[in-house]
Amino acid sequence: LRTFNLVTPVKNQNPWGTCWAHAACGAMESNWLKNGQATFNLSESNMATCHGFEWLWNDGGNRQLAGSYVTRLSGPVLEADDLYSRLAANDTLCHSGETPVAFVSDARYRPNDANVIKQAILDYGAVYTNYYHDDAYFNSSNDTYYCPDALGTNHAVLIVGWDDNKDTDASANGAWLIKNSWGTGWGDAGYFYISYSDVTVNSAPALFISRNDYNAQATLYKYDDLGTMGSTGYGSETAYSLIKFNASADQLITKVGSYVNS
């Protein structure tokens, strides 16, 4: 995606714990470029402060927070309308009155499957993902990263490509090309490679797609603001549920959404 100008410029999240918002906004920006839209600069501060969960804005986040924010039509909004620099001025409350630049209706969570992720990049643009970062596992001489230990995850980034022959410190070649959010002075102008063999990468890949033009008259009827956070198995292969909404006026229903586990 970097070669074909289908990814937006590297940003710098520091010193705030907003990597997940940078990865989510970057995924949408890349998807819009892939679909022939102009280059957009989306507001990470709006997503980080307006996600709606009882979760402090600077305590990190995940794909569920990003997914609930966009699919309930809260955003994304433009960076110009909600500047990231306001966080440094201790303006950390949600600016809820900003107008979304567009509606994004789909949050799609992908499995840790290399072929699925590669196809997603080809079809939709940059893919949100996460991994465990510790400088001890980073090779600054060739900007590659390989963690062989199961340490959980602590950082979200964007997969923008891959190199099946990339030589890393792992026993097997091959790596994901990653766009980070630590500025262009880090890594290879803000990019680096994570080995396919890294134990921590890709536990939660995600896409935020299906861009629709903003419509001030649109109404979203919803059961809750936060959306799906988990699931559990059933004793039977069949299950039913129903939620009924009452329209506030004569309205045409154009889309119906749900949560689907597969």
Side-chain angles (χ1 to χ4, degrees):
L1 300 175
R2 180 174 59 169
T3 301
F4 294 98
N5 296 317
L6 295 177
V7 62
T8 51
V10 172
K11 297 182 181 181
N12 194 338
Q13 72 178 73
N14 287 332
W16 317 119
T18 56
C19 59
W20 63 279
H22 278 79
C25 287
M28 289 184 284
E29 292 167 354
S30 176
N31 177 250
W32 296 359
L33 286 171
K34 184 76 169 54
N35 290 331
Q37 298 285 331
T39 299
F40 284 86
N41 185 358
L42 302 179
S43 173
E44 293 84 9
S45 58
N46 194 265
M47 180 180 289
T49 56
C50 296
H51 54 68
F53 290 78
E54 291 186 358
W55 194 315
L56 295 179
W57 72 272
N58 195 30
D59 282 351
N62 53 40
R63 62 184 182 178
Q64 283 90 346
L65 269 66
S68 70
Y69 167 83
V70 296
T71 58
R72 68 167 184 261
L73 311 187
S74 293
V77 306
L78 291 175
E79 169 71 14
D81 293 333
D82 192 348
L83 297 175
Y84 193 72
S85 58
R86 72 177 172 91
L87 301 177
N90 293 320
D91 179 4
T92 58
L93 298 178
C94 170
H95 290 195
S96 59
E98 304 300 340
T99 300
V101 64
F103 292 145
V104 176
S105 62
D106 286 19
R108 300 187 184 182
Y109 304 150
R110 289 295 188 250
N112 185 2
D113 182 303
N115 290 329
V116 170
I117 294 172
K118 287 179 178 180
Q119 192 62 52
I121 295 171
L122 292 172
D123 291 342
Y124 302 110
V127 175
Y128 173 110
T129 195
N130 58 353
Y131 75 106
Y132 179 84
H133 187 89
D134 187 312
D135 285 344
Y137 300 107
F138 181 65
N139 186 337
S140 59
S141 65
N142 61 1
D143 298 311
T144 62
Y145 189 91
Y146 167 57
C147 176
D149 304 314
L151 298 172
T153 61
N154 63 3
H155 191 43
V157 290
L158 279 176
I159 305 178
V160 301
W162 66 88
D163 182 347
D164 289 335
N165 300 310
K166 186 69 176 179
D167 184 15
T168 67
D169 294 331
S171 57
N173 287 352
W176 300 108
L177 177 60
I178 302 295
K179 175 189 173 184
N180 204 352
S181 53
W182 291 345
T184 56
W186 186 90
D188 177 16
Y191 290 82
F192 70 110
Y193 284 91
I194 293 181
S195 170
Y196 288 160
S197 301
D198 187 283
V199 176
T200 69
V201 71
N202 290 339
S203 67
L207 300 161
F208 308 97
I209 59 176
S210 299
R211 183 188 190 278
N212 302 288
D213 291 337
Y214 171 74
N215 180 357
Q217 304 304 315
T219 299
L220 176 65
Y221 294 99
K222 55 188 182 295
Y223 178 69
D224 64 75
D225 284 334
L226 303 183
T228 181
M229 285 301 295
S231 60
T232 185
Y234 290 93
S236 168
E237 294 183 357
T238 303
Y240 302 92
S241 65
L242 173 67
I243 301 172
K244 180 180 179 180
F245 297 100
N246 293 316
S248 59
D250 291 335
Q251 294 174 327
L252 174 66
I253 303 300
T254 60
K255 295 180 176 65
V256 177
S258 184
Y259 308 108
V260 179
N261 294 320
S262 63

